Amino acid sequence: MKEQESALKKKVLDQFLSGENLFGKNGALSPILKEFLEESLQAEMDEHLRDEDKGWSSGNKRNGKGTKTVKSNVGEVTIDTPEDRHSSFEPKI
């Protein structure tokens, strides 16, 4: 674990000093942004499925994942997005 942290710190520092985008396709911090976005979407899906009108009581359940490329002011990140059977999930993030 320490080796991975050291490698990440070195990559971040190298990219930062060279002026490279830290969050872009090969950015050192891109995996952290990806993880944050995916966990946020999972939490939104949990809340969506708890809704009595749209969720479990209406027969709606998780139905796999799709992928999307998110464009932000720090670069593009491809994330896995949760899907539901009724296709009624509209993420806010």
Side-chain angles (χ1 to χ4, degrees):
M1 189 66 159
K2 289 279 187 187
E3 290 176 22
Q4 288 177 331
E5 286 180 29
S6 294
L8 176 62
K9 287 178 183 178
K10 181 180 180 342
K11 186 174 181 180
V12 169
L13 184 58
D14 290 346
Q15 286 184 345
F16 178 75
L17 293 175
S18 70
E20 290 180 57
N21 187 341
L22 294 172
F23 290 97
K25 183 177 180 181
N26 295 314
L29 298 178
S30 187
I32 295 169
L33 178 59
K34 175 181 171 57
E35 184 178 331
F36 169 77
L37 291 171
E38 289 175 347
E39 287 182 16
S40 297
L41 287 168
Q42 291 299 331
E44 282 191 51
M45 178 60 86
D46 291 344
E47 189 62 31
H48 174 72
L49 293 175
R50 278 191 204 103
D51 185 319
E52 289 187 24
D53 296 330
K54 301 175 190 169
W56 304 109
S57 63
S58 68
N60 199 8
K61 298 178 182 175
R62 293 179 187 274
N63 193 33
K65 294 180 181 179
T67 58
K68 292 187 181 189
T69 300
V70 178
K71 295 180 181 180
S72 73
N73 60 346
V74 295
E76 293 183 358
V77 178
T78 301
I79 60 172
D80 294 326
T81 57
E83 297 176 348
D84 64 328
R85 288 187 179 179
H86 294 173
S87 298
S88 59
F89 177 57
E90 295 182 27
K92 305 290 186 257
I93 195 164

